[in-house]
Amino acid sequence: MKEWLLQIFTWWQGQTIGTRFYTWRKGQKVGEDEAGNQYYQNADGSKRWVIYNGPAEASMIAGGWHGWIHHRVDTPPSGEQYTPRAWQKPHQPNYTGTAKAYRPQGSLLRPSERPRVTDDYDAWTP
């Protein structure tokens, strides 16, 4: 019961009931990436969408599928022998707002103290 209510009223936990119904009625499965995300399109290919495997986060779309989902290429990676380029890195989740977020040296949120430099600012004292 709880899962059905979540599908009706939330979109960030996966597909909603409306997306599930539309996919069932008009969706043609095109393929699946290594993260388990499933890619669909309608009959004429004018609409393309992804059903995420987990929370809906746009950065979870694989590099090869990104061009297809945004209509930059016509052939999906499942229809060709796609190999990532040497400069393409594997996906990393978005850690913003978590303890694993990137905090550069000198950041106020970094636990260590900022190293003092030679011409550092000293506040004026009377």
Side-chain angles (χ1 to χ4, degrees):
M1 180 72 168
K2 180 182 175 184
E3 291 179 21
W4 281 100
L5 289 174
L6 286 174
Q7 279 189 8
I8 293 171
F9 295 111
T10 63
W11 55 265
W12 54 87
Q13 295 294 332
Q15 62 180 330
T16 61
I17 196 77
T19 305
R20 182 183 296 273
F21 183 70
Y22 186 81
T23 302
W24 174 72
R25 291 265 310 176
K26 301 197 181 222
Q28 297 175 348
K29 187 173 182 179
V30 177
E32 188 172 328
D33 65 7
E34 60 274 355
N37 301 327
Q38 299 176 354
Y39 297 88
Y40 293 90
Q41 69 179 3
N42 62 353
D44 63 354
S46 62
K47 291 185 179 181
R48 299 173 180 176
W49 65 96
V50 59
I51 305 295
Y52 294 102
N53 181 20
E57 183 184 337
S59 68
M60 291 292 294
I61 294 178
W65 285 98
H66 184 269
W68 179 82
I69 200 93
H70 291 285
H71 295 273
R72 293 184 181 171
V73 294
D74 292 330
T75 308
S78 61
E80 62 184 12
Q81 290 292 11
Y82 176 79
T83 55
R85 308 275 194 249
W87 46 266
Q88 288 179 313
K89 295 181 179 179
H91 177 263
Q92 290 182 344
N94 185 356
Y95 290 124
T96 303
T98 67
K100 293 183 179 181
Y102 173 70
R103 294 183 174 95
Q105 191 171 12
S107 171
L108 295 175
L109 298 175
R110 195 171 189 153
S112 62
E113 190 173 321
R114 185 176 70 89
R116 188 157 177 84
V117 293
T118 56
D119 291 330
D120 209 355
Y121 173 77
D122 289 321
W124 178 77
T125 55

